[in-house]
Amino acid sequence: MSETIVRKQYDQLAVIYDLRWKSYIANTLSFLKTWAEISPTETILDVACGTGEFERLLLDECSLQQIVGVDISDKMLAIAKQKCRAYPQVSFQIASASNLPFDNDSFDVIVSANSFHYFDDPLAALKEMRRVLKPDGKVIILDWCRDYLVCKICDIILKVFDPAHKQCYTQNEFHCLLEDADFAIYRATKIRLGVFWGLMVATASLKA
């Protein structure tokens, strides 16, 4: 049910999303690109890719990057496809994070930015990412962090007023979910972007 609400909300927001959240998108995704250290030869899956802004950032640096983006909003994906129309090796399709339409061991890198707090079943989503990740691949997830007071307050407010919002997590809760999905975390931090946003990021690989 929550996923249906998220889809409807972002279908409505799609045409104004990039402009409305321009500064936030630029800051968070630029940070993620630097943090992720993605090689030009790696094949990437972007889970909850939205309007394809992360893809645009990567392609500006390497026009041959192989990328697949998935999202549950048709309208967001339509904008992503338009942005990346000049790159035949980049594709987008509708899919839920907990039901990825790909074979096992398909991707070198899986990223997900600013969306983990919307997932109905985060553990199921992480297990799906694990399934489609190559044995020597890595997962990088960036999201809001409930350890920051402002994010904690936002989490409480959004649970009341935004039916699409699921839950923010503390860094410890987030790491426990990754470990429960059989990931090994080898790099992680918390960051504050501006006065308002407190985020966390983790890079994880498959447990040996």
Side-chain angles (χ1 to χ4, degrees):
M1 181 62 182
S2 176
E3 196 168 273
T4 302
I5 296 169
V6 174
R7 180 184 298 110
K8 182 178 180 180
Q9 184 179 103
Y10 277 86
D11 278 347
Q12 293 171 345
L13 283 172
V15 293
I16 62 168
Y17 182 82
D18 284 345
L19 183 60
R20 180 176 177 181
W21 299 107
K22 183 176 180 180
S23 177
Y24 174 81
I25 293 167
N27 289 335
T28 56
L29 296 186
S30 293
F31 170 83
L32 179 63
K33 184 173 78 69
T34 301
W35 172 275
E37 298 179 336
I38 294 170
S39 163
T41 60
E42 290 176 320
T43 301
I44 303 159
L45 172 64
D46 185 0
V47 177
C49 65
T51 62
E53 194 61 15
F54 189 65
E55 284 69 22
R56 188 190 65 76
L57 286 175
L58 291 176
L59 292 164
D60 282 349
E61 192 168 285
C62 177
S63 62
L64 298 178
Q65 194 85 57
Q66 297 274 341
I67 316 170
V68 178
V70 297
D71 202 278
I72 58 173
S73 167
D74 277 323
K75 297 293 195 302
M76 298 284 274
L77 287 173
I79 294 170
K81 290 173 182 176
Q82 181 66 17
K83 282 182 186 178
C84 300
R85 64 190 182 280
Y87 304 94
Q89 82 283 7
V90 179
S91 64
F92 297 94
Q93 57 185 289
I94 194 158
S96 167
S98 58
N99 187 21
L100 298 171
F102 308 110
D103 293 335
N104 296 351
D105 309 335
S106 292
F107 299 96
D108 299 300
V109 179
I110 299 175
V111 299
S112 184
N114 304 319
S115 56
F116 199 73
H117 57 281
Y118 283 123
F119 292 170
D120 276 342
D121 190 339
L123 185 57
L126 289 172
K127 287 180 177 179
E128 271 293 88
M129 293 181 200
R130 186 185 191 284
R131 180 184 66 78
V132 302
L133 185 68
K134 292 180 181 179
D136 58 348
K138 62 184 178 181
V139 166
I140 305 114
I141 297 176
L142 173 73
D143 200 44
W144 301 352
C145 181
R146 204 171 185 271
D147 292 327
Y148 293 96
L149 179 61
V150 173
C151 288
K152 186 179 291 188
I153 293 169
C154 284
D155 187 42
I156 294 168
I157 293 171
L158 289 171
K159 282 179 179 177
V160 175
F161 294 104
D162 183 358
H165 178 78
K166 184 68 175 179
Q167 179 182 342
C168 287
Y169 300 90
T170 66
Q171 187 184 51
N172 183 62
E173 289 169 339
F174 174 49
H175 287 187
C176 285
L177 284 165
L178 282 165
E179 289 164 2
D180 287 346
D182 284 331
F183 282 109
I185 300 162
Y186 65 86
R187 190 176 176 217
T189 195
K190 292 187 287 188
I191 57 164
R192 187 184 290 280
L193 294 178
V195 176
F196 192 74
W197 298 107
L199 299 109
M200 56 189 172
V201 63
T203 300
S205 58
L206 303 185
K207 284 184 180 177

